[in-house]
Amino acid sequence: MALTLMEGNEAIAWGALAAGCRFFAGYPITPATTIYNAMLYRLPPAGGICLQGEDEIASIGFCLGASMAGHKVMTATSGPGISLYSEQISFAVGSEIPIVIVDVQRLGPSTGSATKGADGDIQFLQWGSSGGQPVIVLAPVDVRDCIVLTMQAFNLAERFRCPVFVATNKEIAMTRETVDLDALDLPAVESRSMAAPDGAFEPFAGSAASPVPDFLPIGGRRIVRQTSSTHGPDGYITTDPDLIAATQERLTRKITSRPEAFIYCDYLETPGARTLVITYGVTARAARDAVDRSKRQGAPSSLLVLKTLWPVPERLLRAKAADYERIVVIEMNLGQYVREIERLLAPRDIAFYGQMNGELITPSRIAEVIAHG
Amino acid sequence: MALTLMEGNEAIAWGALAAGCRFFAGYPITPATTIYNAMLYRLPPAGGICLQGEDEIASIGFCLGASMAGHKVMTATSGPGISLYSEQISFAVGSEIPIVIVDVQRLGPSTGSATKGADGDIQFLQWGSSGGQPVIVLAPVDVRDCIVLTMQAFNLAERFRCPVFVATNKEIAMTRETVDLDALDLPAVESRSMAAPDGAFEPFAGSAASPVPDFLPIGGRRIVRQTSSTHGPDGYITTDPDLIAATQERLTRKITSRPEAFIYCDYLETPGARTLVITYGVTARAARDAVDRSKRQGAPSSLLVLKTLWPVPERLLRAKAADYERIVVIEMNLGQYVREIERLLAPRDIAFYGQMNGELITPSRIAEVIAHG
Amino acid sequence: MALTLMEGNEAIAWGALAAGCRFFAGYPITPATTIYNAMLYRLPPAGGICLQGEDEIASIGFCLGASMAGHKVMTATSGPGISLYSEQISFAVGSEIPIVIVDVQRLGPSTGSATKGADGDIQFLQWGSSGGQPVIVLAPVDVRDCIVLTMQAFNLAERFRCPVFVATNKEIAMTRETVDLDALDLPAVESRSMAAPDGAFEPFAGSAASPVPDFLPIGGRRIVRQTSSTHGPDGYITTDPDLIAATQERLTRKITSRPEAFIYCDYLETPGARTLVITYGVTARAARDAVDRSKRQGAPSSLLVLKTLWPVPERLLRAKAADYERIVVIEMNLGQYVREIERLLAPRDIAFYGQMNGELITPSRIAEVIAHG
Amino acid sequence: MALTLMEGNEAIAWGALAAGCRFFAGYPITPATTIYNAMLYRLPPAGGICLQGEDEIASIGFCLGASMAGHKVMTATSGPGISLYSEQISFAVGSEIPIVIVDVQRLGPSTGSATKGADGDIQFLQWGSSGGQPVIVLAPVDVRDCIVLTMQAFNLAERFRCPVFVATNKEIAMTRETVDLDALDLPAVESRSMAAPDGAFEPFAGSAASPVPDFLPIGGRRIVRQTSSTHGPDGYITTDPDLIAATQERLTRKITSRPEAFIYCDYLETPGARTLVITYGVTARAARDAVDRSKRQGAPSSLLVLKTLWPVPERLLRAKAADYERIVVIEMNLGQYVREIERLLAPRDIAFYGQMNGELITPSRIAEVIAHG
């Protein structure tokens, strides 16, 4: 047993290292800075590089360059920084560059409150760059999740050659918890599929076996074409509508075609429950308490904690919800993910409680919503 | 009669001038640049200022400064530029600064294809900044709309002290059409509600009459507090959860509480139609043709062209859709606004056709979707 | 009589307006900021534009663009800002763009002391950009000079199509003095020599009459070629050694061939004096006192206050120095301009006193140097 | 014997590695880019870091940070990049941060001609930042010098805690020469003097033994105060005139008090010569030829090739010149270093020939100047 006391941000750094991350670049912003600090402390001894860029734009640029050179990379920021990443997130999507981006959410809009949590970026992470292609967003609940989901985020980024977001929150990031590192069930580490260095190579070609192109690093013997412009499988700019459509379709399909392969969630089923509470992030912890109370109070409810937010686990949500009369969605914002649940479950009655005032949602508030809507 | 031949971008400049815009700053990007050119040609003779910033970030910064000083302002860019605006869009939302932002959409992701159209930013415009507060997005179909909706965009920005987007598209922007300027039914020009220069003044206080605070320009006799941080009605930073919640609620309510006041749409009802086609933007033009054909082919359909995309005109959509057996949604992307329609109309069967390959969707393709799904 | 109390920075703004300046861009830095403030207050009512750029680089860029468009322009900063201007100063030199650049010197090196004066940039202003072509540097002593020399700086910038520096100092900039504006003998305002808008036009061609090319604004009917690369008279890039040499020679000759046309200085001759004190800037004021004292103490000295520092008024210095046995140079730095005087007057014995500790040099200190070296 | 064919830029990289350089950051600019390329190729295998910054300002910033952390660092650029370094050069001077800065000079002003040589930055390197404190500038003539003087530059930067410039030129940088690496007489490698990690430590205190403060890296156990503001020995901001004066004096003295310790030059004495040719840089090679010719033509001359340009080796110049009737200075610019020679040797007759037209000065042109002035 190896009990360690660490905050969520340290746990993310721990997970990144365990997943093989060897490059980190970022620009300080509360409450994400301690990820940078932890990486600065841990990466160089592990043979990696940790760097502060001139600004957020330079920082994510360094990461994308390092990823194109073959490294596993991560950056971390908060809402204002995700804004500044936006253009290059779109580049990572379109040019299929693996990267893990941690968003330690804080209260917005704008610079807002640096030391107050919120889950205000849940739609932003999916839709926050031009084009609208799907991305992957994972949401940890606690320190253990910070470790495991960060590792999964690296695996998914490598597996699908895409940006993967870890949507955490000031309250998780800066809360220290005890974790037994030996007892963790860590996922196996995956790496991007490499092309043969000598054969024919098209940098953006899917195959029969997979919509994800094989990878070769820039800087090697073979020229690897890379462009932010609309391109065909060979990496040359194209205006051919069929090639363009095929690429758009491939970018979508690779993320969305087998979502069940990476649905992370906790489902706490309560016998006899007629209400299903759906939530995610730090709010899940209060929701667990509230669901416990609901049992004791004779109005049992179940709890579904989503840890894969995007792509929306549609089948899971429909399946779980089918067993309940009533759905209650709780979010630390003014109603973002509930829109997706409405989309899937309408016209069923869906109760929503959202709060974005810098405070955690309390178990008693949730219990109240469970009881009375 | 004053027949004028102009492209959509010139029409936006024309509308901006007519609405009282006296400040424009931007950074060149195809296909938005001709808006800048037109403003450069027209603004200075009208006593206004037209400026190219060092980059997109500086450009929108100039606009927000000028707006805080009391001017009606506009900027224009395309997807990559909206990305770079993201952080300051959030500032405009949170600090309630009127601005009209034109997004001349082009094919993404990333730099994509500068001279190919798309409607790939429809979710991005709503969700593309941290915090998730609502914004207003209008979508013109043709040159006439470019004039009229740009004027409405200014009116709404002033009325609600918020950013308003005009979501256009390379195909509208760069197509010249004849327009009879004398025959246009132009909206009355509105301006922001000014506080008395001498009374008590709270820069972020709603009133009984309106959730929108009265405005005073910076630089006048009274100190006007302005901050990108979480603030109360007096403009001072606050951590009081009740004050924060009240502001968040007000930011939402001012935009969403009376959506019917600014629903722009065209509804082409066909007697006997059992299918309703819903679309927006340049695709509406092909959809009109397709609906015409559907009549001639004995399977009549109606057409709803949305010109207010955000906030979603929920009541309108539900009311119109109620009369039809089948809903067909057509978009020049891979499926963005259809998610909102699903959210509202699920579990009804909604056929979707999306295309994002640099080409316009043809009437015959739409007619096919109408006929066969 | 119109007695006005103004500080040196306001006087510079006053002079700029009087000289026809209609564009100012800058970035705040103590002790130059009040020039920006004064221009912001005065330029717009005069039909001009006053602008803060995103940073120093953007600010001087705006100025050069406005100058190329035909306006008289000024910017103001302190040492760290001159550093950031360096690349574009070289552009102004090589592309012959008129601009007045005010350097309100403060104590360096680096950010140093924002509120302490020094004359530490005297060599920097001449040599602070790549290439080594000559520039013009004027140095005011008091509020009256700030007005008159700023006007002369504009005249010289226009006459020679070149950057002209006004080298002032925190102590002049922020000291208020009474000045009788009506009594000032203001120079006539000059403007750059315009080419005929319709004839043959070479943007970088000297003529028999003048080494300074005629000017046409960019944006007019004729295309005006402008480049930061090595170019011939026609403005096209060239690698022809003769054309390059001719341009280099012309850039030098236009500034240095008739220096007596713009030698500004005060010469206080004391009968019987055997010592000549040479100084410039705010130190001249203490030197006047010291020279007065020297008379009363029976060891009379004369005083030469240089107000044109670059190009070095070589003939003047040699002529004046010829009459004295001893030369004393006083500078508010560690010995910069004294190098030029050594170059001209060596091997004569030249006493030097320099001080750069944030304090003014006192009359008694100078008197001591006069008396004892 | 290890004959190697390398260009001057590769030789600089070779010398840097040999001197212990383990950090390089730069931004590409012809003709300096191949230094970056060579460092990129060689540094990482040597355990070092080679980095391209977002721009020149970021690049030198990275270097200064790495130097403060205890590494030997180098950057390389050309004139426009030195301009952008200017502000941080002043920081390095004032905060006593060792760094080697290579200026591969090209033809200016402004962007000028990227592939043409010049020695146009000779005064710029000394005077190109605010404050006027002395710096060290070395000037290689050939590949061998590029190796040896780069090593000396590192030694001097470490010995004096200051920026040291290597002033090379496109013609040296991009000419390949054979060099026998085994036969080189390489200097011993020096490193900055470290403070005891545990004793009392003042980061900017000279001692009786040396005006150069001992060094401790930031990031260690002891707090190391570092500031760009005017400071006393303890690193705290000060306005005390005596402390300020003492620091200014120390910054000057440490560089200038023992110049003979690092005078690099070649002196080719010709018996019977009455003329001394003085030059530096690539022009020295033509001058050697010209001096040879002068011997054969019966008008023998000697040659002094300066490789330490700043601080000016005053005693050496005076001593050597004393033996000749006539001084001839040749420069690949319009007359920069000749000013220093005039300052030292006036009123002696000094013939000058300068050329800055993108071409090398030929031996016959120099021979002509020797013969006829």
Side-chain angles (χ1 to χ4, degrees), chain A residues 49-342:
Chain A
I49 289 177
C50 180
L51 194 64
Q52 179 182 324
E54 192 179 3
D55 50 35
E56 283 87 351
I57 291 174
S59 298
I60 188 172
F62 280 124
C63 288
L64 295 183
S67 182
M68 288 189 276
H71 301 286
K72 294 187 177 182
V73 306
M74 182 168 82
T75 185
T77 185
S78 191
I82 297 287
S83 291
L84 292 163
Y85 287 179
S86 168
E87 192 185 13
Q88 295 196 61
I89 291 169
S90 200
F91 175 43
V93 167
S95 295
E96 307 184 57
I97 308 168
I99 181 173
V100 173
I101 302 171
V102 183
D103 181 10
V104 187
Q105 295 168 92
R106 69 189 211 185
L107 181 66
S110 202
T111 48
S113 298
T115 57
K116 300 279 178 186
D119 287 334
D121 299 346
I122 296 307
Q123 291 280 348
F124 181 33
L125 292 178
Q126 165 54 48
W127 299 112
S129 67
S130 181
Q133 286 73 18
V135 299
I136 296 173
V137 180
L138 308 181
V141 167
D142 52 22
V143 160
R144 196 207 68 92
D145 280 356
C146 285
I147 291 174
V148 175
L149 290 182
T150 298
M151 293 188 71
Q152 298 289 16
F154 274 94
N155 282 349
L156 295 169
E158 295 288 308
R159 194 190 304 164
F160 298 122
R161 290 189 54 180
C162 66
V164 176
F165 293 93
V166 176
T168 173
N169 176 310
K170 180 257 155 188
E171 301 292 349
I172 301 168
M174 297 199 151
T175 301
R176 292 189 177 275
E177 292 179 74
T178 302
V179 61
D180 180 352
L181 292 172
D182 289 349
L184 286 177
D185 186 19
L186 300 181
V189 170
E190 301 178 33
S191 291
R192 59 195 80 165
S193 170
M194 304 295 284
D198 291 309
F201 176 60
E202 288 200 311
F204 297 107
S207 67
S210 162
V212 184
D214 285 346
F215 176 88
L216 277 182
I218 52 173
R221 254 183 315 159
R222 293 187 75 85
I223 287 178
V224 177
R225 253 171 235 107
Q226 186 58 288
T227 173
S228 62
S229 293
T230 307
H231 50 267
D234 55 8
Y236 281 107
I237 291 179
T238 185
T239 60
D240 180 302
D242 293 334
L243 281 183
I244 298 172
T247 299
Q248 301 279 12
E249 186 273 339
R250 194 172 54 67
L251 290 177
T252 302
R253 180 162 45 97
K254 74 174 185 181
I255 305 296
T256 59
S257 60
R258 293 190 307 137
E260 62 283 353
F262 54 95
I263 295 175
Y264 308 109
C265 67
D266 288 342
Y267 180 48
L268 280 71
E269 191 171 3
T270 307
R274 293 160 76 175
T275 296
L276 176 66
V277 178
I278 303 177
T279 192
Y280 56 87
V282 71
T283 306
R285 303 170 79 149
R288 261 187 233 128
D289 267 19
V291 164
D292 274 353
R293 290 187 201 192
S294 75
K295 277 187 265 186
R296 293 194 305 269
Q297 292 166 351
S301 58
S302 295
L303 175 64
L304 178 62
V305 177
L306 294 175
K307 299 182 180 183
T308 301
L309 295 180
W310 300 94
V312 178
E314 304 192 350
R315 209 172 303 177
L316 172 86
L317 281 162
R318 284 202 179 97
K320 294 299 184 210
D323 298 335
Y324 298 89
E325 283 174 13
R326 195 160 156 262
I327 308 295
V328 169
V329 178
I330 313 285
E331 292 187 81
M332 204 165 164
N333 59 42
L334 302 176
Q336 294 195 17
Y337 205 74
V338 66
R339 300 174 78 100
E340 297 304 312
I341 290 168
E342 287 171 357

Side-chain angles (χ1 to χ4, degrees), chain C residues 83 86 90-91 108 110-113 120-121 123-124 127-128 130-131 133 228 230 241 248 339-340 342-343 347 356-357, chain D residues 83 86 90-91 108 110-113 120-121 123-124 127-128 130-131 133 228 230 241 248 339-340 342-343 347 356-357:
Chain C
S83 290
S86 168
S90 200
F91 174 44
S110 201
T111 48
S113 298
D121 300 345
Q123 291 280 351
F124 181 33
W127 300 112
S130 181
Q133 286 74 19
S228 62
T230 307
Q248 301 278 13
R339 301 174 78 99
E340 298 303 313
E342 288 171 357
R343 186 171 62 81
M356 189 161 71
N357 62 356
Chain D
S83 291
S86 168
S90 200
F91 174 44
S110 201
T111 50
S113 298
D121 300 345
Q123 291 281 348
F124 182 33
W127 299 112
S130 182
Q133 286 73 17
S228 63
T230 307
Q248 301 279 12
R339 302 174 78 100
E340 298 303 314
E342 287 171 357
R343 186 170 63 81
M356 189 160 70
N357 63 356

Side-chain angles (χ1 to χ4, degrees), chain D residues 248-305:
Chain D
Q248 301 279 12
E249 186 272 341
R250 192 172 55 67
L251 290 177
T252 301
R253 181 163 44 96
K254 73 175 185 180
I255 304 297
T256 59
S257 59
R258 293 188 308 133
E260 61 284 351
F262 53 95
I263 294 176
Y264 308 110
C265 67
D266 288 343
Y267 180 49
L268 281 73
E269 189 169 6
T270 307
R274 296 160 73 178
T275 297
L276 176 65
V277 178
I278 303 177
T279 192
Y280 56 87
V282 71
T283 305
R285 304 171 78 150
R288 265 187 230 128
D289 266 19
V291 164
D292 275 354
R293 288 187 201 190
S294 74
K295 280 187 263 187
R296 295 193 305 267
Q297 291 166 352
S301 57
S302 294
L303 175 64
L304 178 61
V305 177

Side-chain angles (χ1 to χ4, degrees), chain A residues 83 86 90-91 108 110-113 120-121 123-124 127-128 130-131 133 228 230 241 248 339-340 342-343 347 356-357, chain B residues 83 86 90-91 108 110-113 120-121 123-124 127-128 130-131 133 228 230 241 248 339-340 342-343 347 356-357:
Chain A
S83 291
S86 168
S90 200
F91 175 43
S110 202
T111 48
S113 298
D121 299 346
Q123 291 280 348
F124 181 33
W127 299 112
S130 181
Q133 286 73 18
S228 62
T230 307
Q248 301 279 12
R339 300 174 78 100
E340 297 304 312
E342 287 171 357
R343 186 169 64 79
M356 190 161 69
N357 63 357
Chain B
S83 291
S86 168
S90 200
F91 175 43
S110 201
T111 50
S113 298
D121 300 346
Q123 292 280 349
F124 182 33
W127 298 112
S130 180
Q133 287 73 18
S228 62
T230 306
Q248 301 278 13
R339 301 174 77 99
E340 298 302 314
E342 287 171 358
R343 187 171 62 80
M356 189 158 72
N357 62 357

